[in-house]
Amino acid sequence: MAVPSRVVTNHDLAAKMETSHEWIVERTGIEERHWVEPGEGGAELGARAAKEAIARAGLTAQDIDLIIYATLSPDFNFPGTGVFVQRLLGIKEIPCIDIRQQCTGFIYGLSIADAYIRIGSYKHVLLIGSEVHSTGLDVSTAGRDVTVLFGDGAGAVVLGRATDDQHLLLSTHIHADGSEAEILWTEYPASTRHPRMSVEAMDERRHYPKMEGKRVFKHAVTRMPQAIMEGMVANGLKLEDIDMMIPHQANLRINQMVAKMIGMPEHKTHNNIQKYGNTTAASIPICMHEAIELGKIKPGDLVCLVAFGAGLTWGSAFLRY
Ligand code: UT7
């Protein structure tokens, strides 16, 4: 994982907008997040996380034959950010796929990597979730409901063909429902608008992310338990079989509610939104990395990953680490 060095506390935000440490902690659990310094980008964070993942896999960058880059905050409009990571890693001519499934991006990425590895197209897939939210947030009081939630960061994994049944990806289940896409979105710049960006749109703050928080919350606490149950049924698992659940980090209250709804004891889940905020596609690999470092996930453990986010999109993955 990689996060920018600059830590932004709730008190720092309270100095810029009408909010408070108490409100943010009570509603979300978030205490601080990391935001980039000018010039620092998602590709750079992604490449830092990727280098660590490749080294821990006992490989070199030259062993990677596909990059999947999940983000909702690409460094530029085009090309996709994956090619910039490829360049930073010094790898040439391997394919780079950018995917746009927001908070569920990492689970979607796992399912794509899994399919390619199963059919034998690629041997070592580098999957990165990386986000720079801070450069696109409204730091005035008008944007406070969304701005206090998000942090910058990246997480990366290397996937290869399993050599035994003790360390493998068991399943991925991914879903989407576009019928309420606009309850969590950033409208501008948009190729359906002429021009794509205008002074009027900026005056109306339509280039900042907008969210109907309560509706998104309700969908999250419905869809995440469904995705977990779907994976458990597909793998013939009981709740007791799961050693650790790593949920997407959007709101500590959501994750506590999901754990309670499915009956997962607290010591079998890990959350770190307190330190990083919501890093969308990066949140699951960052949280998983920390759980591994803390010894909460050990080799062979059965791990459940679950996410919900804009789109709306949701899904789960089950693996033996
Ligand atoms: O990762 C993608 C998925 N995202 C999510 O899953 C997020 C889901 N939603 C949520 O986590 C919650 O809805 C929020 C944390 C975003 C908001 O919590 P809430 O309990 O739903 O609050 P609210 O939006 O209903 O706002 C309650 C009050 C409002 O004031 P009034 O109308 O009651 O006077 C807001 O204006 O809190 C106010 N408020 C704030 N006050 C201080 C909203 N944002 C802030 C703020 N600081 N940052």
Side-chain angles (χ1 to χ4, degrees):
M1 63 165 280
V3 289
S5 52
R6 180 161 69 114
V7 175
V8 176
T9 65
N10 293 343
H11 298 291
D12 293 333
L13 294 180
K16 294 179 194 294
M17 62 184 86
E18 284 172 35
T19 189
S20 67
H21 175 71
E22 291 68 28
W23 190 97
I24 301 170
V25 170
E26 192 193 313
R27 306 280 175 134
T28 72
I30 300 166
E31 292 169 21
E32 58 189 35
R33 71 287 290 141
H34 293 247
W35 280 5
V36 292
E37 300 284 3
E40 215 174 1
E44 200 184 318
L45 293 171
R48 265 172 55 199
K51 281 179 188 165
E52 192 185 335
I54 293 166
R56 286 189 182 214
L59 300 170
T60 70
Q62 307 312 317
D63 296 315
I64 302 299
D65 47 13
L66 171 69
I67 295 173
I68 304 173
Y69 188 91
T71 194
L72 69 69
S73 54
D75 282 10
F76 300 100
N77 240 318
F78 76 85
T81 313
V83 296
F84 293 100
V85 174
Q86 185 209 47
R87 190 165 76 186
L88 287 167
L89 295 177
I91 326 172
K92 286 212 170 86
E93 295 188 15
I94 62 159
C96 300
I97 303 175
D98 277 47
I99 60 168
R100 300 286 302 271
Q101 281 74 29
Q102 302 66 247
C103 304
T104 322
F106 189 75
I107 308 269
Y108 269 71
L110 281 178
S111 79
I112 297 167
D114 186 40
Y116 272 130
I117 290 168
R118 277 178 200 273
I119 61 169
S121 298
Y122 300 106
K123 281 202 180 106
H124 297 117
V125 179
L126 172 63
L127 168 61
I128 301 166
S130 184
E131 305 284 1
V132 171
H133 288 290
S134 57
T135 51
L137 296 172
D138 181 356
V139 288
S140 75
T141 298
R144 66 181 180 176
D145 58 329
V146 171
T147 298
V148 300
L149 305 176
F150 290 102
D152 304 337
V157 295
V158 178
L159 293 113
R161 180 166 281 276
T163 51
D164 61 55
D165 61 5
Q166 289 311 302
H167 310 280
L168 80 170
L169 187 61
L170 296 169
S171 67
T172 55
H173 290 90
I174 51 176
H175 296 278
D177 176 0
S179 61
E180 290 182 90
E182 293 87 354
I183 67 171
L184 177 50
W185 76 331
T186 300
E187 186 184 355
Y188 278 87
S191 59
T192 51
R193 305 290 188 265
H194 299 253
R196 290 184 178 188
M197 177 55 94
S198 63
V199 172
E200 292 75 26
M202 290 184 79
D203 286 346
E204 290 165 12
R205 312 183 103 78
R206 289 162 76 181
H207 58 303
Y208 289 127
K210 293 280 176 305
M211 174 165 70
E212 290 184 38
K214 283 206 189 316
R215 279 174 75 179
V216 174
F217 192 110
K218 274 187 200 146
H219 282 300
V221 297
T222 308
R223 295 306 194 179
M224 287 166 82
Q226 281 175 4
I228 297 166
M229 299 315 274
E230 187 178 22
M232 282 171 63
V233 170
N235 293 299
L237 297 169
K238 298 187 293 297
L239 197 64
E240 309 84 84
D241 297 326
I242 301 172
D243 296 303
M244 181 54 59
M245 179 171 83
I246 304 288
H248 164 55
Q249 304 290 300
N251 185 328
L252 191 59
R253 306 290 161 251
I254 291 178
N255 293 350
Q256 287 167 337
M257 201 179 279
V258 168
K260 203 171 163 195
M261 284 166 83
I262 63 163
M264 185 69 78
E266 206 181 320
H267 70 275
K268 283 192 171 190
T269 68
H270 185 63
N271 291 294
N272 61 7
I273 189 171
Q274 298 90 331
K275 290 189 288 182
Y276 302 110
N278 181 350
T279 58
T280 48
S283 87
I284 288 180
I286 288 176
C287 195
M288 198 171 150
H289 170 85
E290 192 176 275
I292 293 165
E293 292 294 288
L294 292 168
K296 290 176 98 173
I297 297 176
K298 296 173 288 305
D301 276 358
L302 197 107
V303 180
C304 161
L305 313 177
V306 62
F308 176 85
L312 304 170
T313 55
W314 64 98
S316 69
F318 282 75
L319 59 102
R320 281 202 183 281
Y321 177 64

